[in-house]
Amino acid sequence: MAVLPMKRVRICALKKNRKQILEILQRRGVVELSDTQQEDSVFQKTDMSSARTVFEKNIAVSNQALEVLETYVPLKKPMLSMLEGREALSVEYYETFSKERDEVMRIAYRLNSLAKEIAENNANIPKLQTQIEALAPWLTLDIPLGFKGTKKTAAFIGSFTGEITQQDIYSELVRIAPTADTVNVDIISRTKEQTCIFVLCSRSEADVVEDALRTMGFARPPMLSTVTPTKRKAGLEDEMKKLHSATETAEEEIKTYAGTRNAIKFTIDYYTMRAEKYDVIGKLAQSRRVFILEGYIPEKDAASLESVLCSLFDLAIEFETPADDDDVPVALQNGLLAAPVESVVESYSLPGKGELDPTSVMAGFYYVLFGLMLSDAAYGLIMVLGCGFCLWKYKNMESGMRKTLLMFLLCGVSTTFWGFMFGSFFGDTVAVIAKTFFNSDIALKPLWFEPVKEPMRMLVFSFLLGIIHLFTGLGLKLYQCIKNKQYKDALYDVVFWYMLVGGGIIYLLTMSMFTEMMGLTFVLPPIAGTIATVSAIIGAIGIIATAGRDSRNWFKRLLKGLYGLYNVTGYLSDILSYSRLLALGLATGVIATVFNKMGSMFGSGFMGAILFTLVFVIGHSLNIGINLLGAYVHTNRLQFVEFFGKFYEGGGRKFSPFTENTKYFKIKEDI
C-alpha cells in the first residue's frame, strides 16, 4: 500500500521550444501543472481564451459531423465495443495530421450542411403533403381558388362547416339577403365535415351576398392560387419529388464521406489536446523569450522526465520536496491484487496528508466479504469466465475499465470459493435436476456447512469476521499513530478501545448462556473472564479520562469522556452490521432454490425440461443481477462506514496530470 511520493518541479525554458515541451509533457502525462505563479514586470500570463474558443467550436462542429455519419452511415459495432479502448497512434501521425486538419474541417462543415439540408427538406415535405391533401375537395374546380370574378360578376370560393345541400344554401341566402336575385351556387364537393361551394353573382350585389355568406359561416380556403387546383396539386407534387431527390442526393453524398470517420474522430481529439494545451499556456509565466512552468510529479518519474527534456532542449529543470503546507496531489500505487479496488478508495476519498493508503489491507477483506454475500459457485464462475474473457479479448482496454473487470474477476473467485464451501451451485440445482429428471439423490455437498440449515453458525462466523475487520481498522490507526510519533494518541484512541471491546467479547465467551445461544461448543475458563473484566474496566476508565483531553475544563473533559465511552454502542452496532453477510448470502441461496423449485414443478417430460430451462435461465439471470448489485453496494458500505470509520479520514486531492484527455485515440511515442 503506497501513496506515491511527489516532487515539486519547476522548468525554465526558451519560448521557442514551448510547443514541443508541452506536447512531450502532455503525451507522458506525469506532471500536474499548477497556477500559482504571480505576474510581475518581466513575466506575464497570456489570455488564450479566444484561441480556445476556436478549438472548442471546431470540436463541436466535428462532433456534429460525426453524429451525421453515425445517423446516415451507421457503423456496426460488436456488443462489447466499449471495452476496446482507444487506438494508439504514433507521434509522426499526429504531426502529419496538422497538414490535413483544414481539409477534414471542410468535410465536417459540408456534412453538417448536408444534414441541415436534409432536415429542412424533411420539414418541408409534410407541409407540401398537407397542402396537397387540402386541395383534394377542390380538384373538380376548373378555375383558380383565387378567382374573384369578372368585370361584371363577383365570385366567392369557399366552404361551410358540415354537410349542407344546395337548396339549404339558397334558402338561407333568400332569408338573409332577399334583394340578391342574381346568385348562382355550385357545390364542388360535400362531406360530413365540410361543404365546398362556388358562388357567382353580379358585381352590384357582391357586398350583400358576401355579408350573407359570412353570416352563414362561409370561409375562404387558406391557399389561394392563380392556377387551377389540379395544376396546383401537380406543382406541389413536383416540388415534393425535387425535395425527395435532393434528400437522396444529400444522403448519397454523406455516404461518400464514410471513409473520413476516423479522420473526424482524430480531429476531435486533436483539437481537444490543443484546447487543453492552450489552457495550460494561459497559466504559464512568460517573458519575451522565456517561460516558467511549475507543478507536481511523482518522484519515480522525475529522473526520466529530466533525462528526456535535457537531451532535447536547452532548459533548466529542478525538483524539490513539497513544503508541509503545500496542497500536494495524491496518486496511489498498489500491487496486482490491490490495484483493482483503488477506485473504491477513491470513490470514498483519497488519503489525506500523513495518512496511509488503506487499499492493500482493504482489498483482502473486500474480496472475502463480496464472496460471502453472493456465495454461489456457479455465479462466481460466470463472473470469472466473463471478466476473464473480456480481459483476454480486449488487451487495449482502458486502465480504469481493466481494473474494474479485474476487481469483479477476483470477487468472482471469492464467490466461487464460498459457493463450494457452502454447497451452492445455482442454489440446489444439482439436487433438483438429479431428483426431477433422473430420480436420483445426487447433490453437491458443502465443503463446510449450509447456511440455510445452520443460520446461527453463519451469523457467528459473520460476527467473527466483522470483529476481525474492525480490529484491523483499529490496528491501522495504531500503526498510523506510531508512524507519526503520536504515541499518546495510540494509547488513548486505540489501546484503550482494544482493552474495552476485546475484554467485553472475551468476558461474554466465559458465559455458558451466551456460548449456548451462539451455538459455540466451548466456554472460556473463569480466569479469562477475570482478566477480561479488568482489561475492560481499565479501558473504560482510560477512555473516560482521555476522550475529552482537548478541553481544559475538567467538567467538560469528564462529560466528553463519558460521551466517548458511550461510543461503545457504536462498536456493538458495527458488529451487528455484519449480519448482512448472513442476510445477503441466504437471499442468494433461497431465491435460487425457489426458482429451481418453480422450474421442477412442470415435471420430467420433454416439455418439463424446456419449461425448467426457461425458468432456470430467466430466474437465475435476475438473481445474479440483483444480488451481484446488492453484494457490491453492501461490501462498499462495510468498508466505508465500519472499516474506514475506525482510522481513515481522507480528504486528499486526486493527482490530475496534464495529459491526453482524448476520446478515440491516444498518442504513443514508442509505436
Side-chain angles (χ1 to χ4, degrees):
M1 54 183 179
V3 175
L4 285 178
M6 290 284 172
K7 289 286 188 180
R8 281 194 65 88
V9 57
R10 182 177 293 106
I11 298 173
C12 182
L14 297 176
K15 202 170 181 180
K16 65 178 183 178
N17 296 325
R18 185 184 65 189
K19 177 178 181 294
Q20 295 91 330
I21 291 173
L22 289 180
E23 287 179 352
I24 289 174
L25 293 178
Q26 189 173 33
R27 288 194 293 268
R28 296 180 73 89
V30 295
V31 177
E32 178 185 294
L33 302 177
S34 55
D35 188 14
T36 58
Q37 303 169 81
Q38 300 297 321
E39 294 182 276
D40 54 32
S41 59
V42 177
F43 289 95
Q44 302 289 325
K45 294 183 180 180
T46 307
D47 183 9
M48 307 302 296
S49 57
S50 58
R52 291 187 71 251
T53 300
V54 173
F55 297 149
E56 289 167 358
K57 180 183 178 182
N58 288 343
I59 293 170
V61 170
S62 300
N63 272 316
Q64 188 178 350
L66 189 60
E67 290 175 6
V68 173
L69 286 178
E70 294 295 338
T71 301
Y72 296 99
V73 197
L75 186 65
K76 293 183 179 180
K77 298 179 181 179
M79 184 173 62
L80 299 176
S81 60
M82 68 177 69
L83 302 177
E84 291 178 349
R86 295 172 296 168
E87 181 181 349
L89 297 177
S90 65
V91 177
E92 291 74 16
Y93 183 89
Y94 172 83
E95 294 173 348
T96 301
F97 180 79
S98 61
K99 303 174 183 178
E100 304 174 1
R101 65 179 187 270
D102 292 338
E103 174 62 16
V104 177
M105 285 306 304
R106 184 196 66 80
I107 293 173
Y109 275 106
R110 178 57 181 164
L111 285 169
N112 293 338
S113 175
L114 291 170
K116 182 180 179 181
E117 179 183 343
I118 292 172
E120 291 174 351
N121 291 346
N122 290 337
N124 288 328
I125 287 172
K127 295 178 182 178
L128 295 177
Q129 186 63 43
T130 302
Q131 294 180 40
I132 291 173
E133 292 172 357
L135 286 172
W138 304 99
L139 293 178
T140 57
L141 185 66
D142 55 1
I143 58 175
L145 289 174
F147 179 72
K148 295 185 178 180
T150 63
K151 188 174 181 180
K152 294 184 178 181
T153 61
F156 301 96
I157 301 174
S159 63
F160 294 113
T161 302
E163 188 175 9
I164 303 176
T165 64
Q166 190 177 35
Q167 185 60 43
D168 292 338
I169 296 172
Y170 276 120
S171 298
E172 283 295 306
L173 285 173
V174 170
R175 184 181 66 80
I176 299 173
T179 60
D181 54 358
T182 58
V183 180
N184 181 72
V185 178
D186 290 324
I187 294 180
I188 308 302
S189 66
R190 183 172 59 193
T191 63
K192 291 181 179 181
E193 287 77 25
Q194 69 173 0
T195 300
C196 298
I197 65 170
F198 171 71
V199 179
L200 192 67
C201 66
S202 64
R203 179 64 64 182
S204 60
E205 296 176 347
D207 292 340
V208 175
V209 173
E210 184 175 9
D211 290 341
L213 290 172
R214 286 179 178 175
T215 302
M216 294 166 60
F218 176 83
R220 293 187 181 273
M223 302 175 300
L224 300 178
S225 63
T226 58
V227 297
T228 63
T230 303
K231 290 183 178 180
R232 176 61 177 161
K233 178 185 177 184
L236 291 173
E237 289 176 342
D238 288 341
E239 194 173 343
M240 280 186 61
K241 289 179 181 178
K242 291 179 181 178
L243 290 178
H244 279 298
S245 176
T247 298
E248 291 175 1
T249 301
E251 289 178 354
E252 289 300 320
E253 185 177 349
I254 288 175
K255 292 177 182 178
T256 63
Y257 292 118
T260 65
R261 191 191 308 268
N262 282 341
I264 293 175
K265 287 181 177 179
F266 188 78
T267 302
I268 295 171
D269 287 347
Y270 175 79
Y271 282 111
T272 299
M273 288 187 287
R274 292 200 67 185
E276 291 172 347
K277 185 170 67 177
Y278 272 67
D279 183 52
V280 168
I281 292 174
K283 299 177 182 178
L284 302 179
Q286 305 179 75
S287 66
R288 290 183 61 189
R289 300 182 182 277
V290 175
F291 74 93
I292 297 176
L293 177 153
E294 292 184 351
Y296 293 94
I297 182 173
E299 186 176 331
K300 66 182 183 66
D301 298 313
S304 62
L305 180 66
E306 182 178 14
S307 175
V308 169
L309 292 180
C310 291
S311 65
L312 296 175
F313 310 103
D314 292 327
L315 53 77
I317 182 170
E318 61 179 26
F319 303 96
E320 61 182 27
T321 302
D324 292 338
D325 58 346
D326 283 348
D327 183 20
V328 182
V330 176
L332 305 180
Q333 184 178 45
N334 290 279
L336 178 65
L337 298 180
V341 295
E342 287 177 351
S343 60
V344 177
V345 175
E346 187 177 328
S347 66
Y348 180 81
S349 184
L350 288 168
K353 189 168 295 186
E355 280 192 311
L356 56 84
D357 173 19
T359 307
S360 295
V361 178
M362 186 199 76
F365 285 107
Y366 193 93
Y367 301 137
V368 170
L369 295 175
F370 189 102
L372 279 169
M373 291 185 191
L374 198 54
S375 63
D376 186 279
Y379 294 173
L381 288 174
I382 290 173
M383 292 174 63
V384 171
L385 293 175
C387 295
F389 171 78
C390 292
L391 290 168
W392 169 79
K393 177 72 174 178
Y394 301 100
K395 294 181 172 58
N396 193 41
M397 190 186 303
E398 296 296 324
S399 173
M401 181 62 73
R402 179 171 293 278
K403 286 183 178 180
T404 298
L405 287 178
L406 183 56
M407 181 188 77
F408 281 109
L409 185 147
L410 294 172
C411 287
V413 172
S414 175
T415 301
T416 303
F417 171 80
W418 289 112
F420 283 121
M421 293 297 288
F422 299 147
S424 179
F425 193 90
F426 288 120
D428 60 348
T429 294
V430 175
V432 169
I433 292 177
K435 188 68 176 177
T436 304
F437 298 101
F438 302 100
N439 196 27
S440 172
D441 294 328
I442 296 175
L444 179 67
K445 300 297 182 182
L447 298 178
W448 190 12
F449 69 95
E450 289 187 55
V452 175
K453 294 180 180 179
E454 300 181 70
M456 184 56 71
R457 189 176 182 181
M458 182 64 191
L459 182 62
V460 172
F461 176 66
S462 300
F463 287 158
L464 174 62
L465 190 59
I467 292 170
I468 295 172
H469 197 203
L470 295 175
F471 276 25
T472 301
L474 274 176
L476 290 176
K477 185 171 184 178
L478 178 66
Y479 170 79
Q480 196 165 272
C481 289
I482 294 174
K483 181 182 177 183
N484 295 332
K485 298 182 179 180
Q486 299 170 339
Y487 303 115
K488 290 184 179 179
D489 291 339
L491 174 64
Y492 301 156
D493 296 334
V494 180
V495 175
F496 285 154
W497 280 108
Y498 268 137
M499 297 174 69
L500 175 59
V501 178
I505 293 172
I506 293 173
Y507 178 77
L508 289 174
L509 294 177
T510 64
M511 301 170 62
S512 58
M513 180 181 68
F514 177 80
T515 56
E516 290 175 3
M517 182 178 65
M518 292 288 104
L520 301 176
T521 58
F522 66 91
V523 178
L524 294 180
I527 185 64
T530 303
I531 296 173
T533 301
V534 173
S535 173
I537 291 174
I538 294 173
I541 293 173
I543 291 169
I544 294 173
T546 61
R549 58 186 179 275
D550 293 336
S551 298
R552 294 184 179 181
N553 186 289
W554 67 269
F555 184 68
K556 288 183 178 180
R557 188 180 304 172
L558 176 63
L559 291 179
K560 287 184 177 181
L562 292 172
Y563 182 76
L565 181 63
Y566 178 74
N567 193 42
V568 72
T569 59
Y571 277 86
L572 177 61
S573 67
D574 286 345
I575 294 172
L576 292 176
S577 183
Y578 287 84
S579 62
R580 71 187 68 236
L581 297 175
L582 167 67
L584 272 82
L586 287 180
T588 304
V590 170
I591 295 173
T593 300
V594 169
F595 281 122
N596 293 338
K597 185 67 175 177
M598 290 172 59
S600 66
M601 293 171 64
F602 298 104
S604 59
F606 177 74
M607 285 303 298
I610 293 177
L611 292 173
F612 177 86
T613 302
L614 184 64
V615 173
F616 179 88
V617 171
I618 295 175
H620 285 285
S621 296
L622 291 172
N623 194 30
I624 190 174
I626 294 171
N627 285 291
L628 192 150
L629 177 63
Y632 175 73
V633 170
H634 287 280
T635 302
N636 285 351
R637 196 264 183 197
L638 288 176
Q639 306 299 331
F640 294 165
V641 178
E642 279 73 24
F643 187 57
F644 286 169
K646 297 296 172 284
F647 71 98
Y648 188 65
E649 294 182 2
R653 180 174 64 83
K654 184 179 179 180
F655 177 61
S656 300
F658 173 47
T659 187
E660 303 164 353
N661 295 310
T662 52
K663 187 175 182 180
Y664 302 103
F665 300 97
K666 53 187 174 183
I667 311 300
K668 290 292 184 182
E669 299 186 54
D670 54 353
I671 283 184

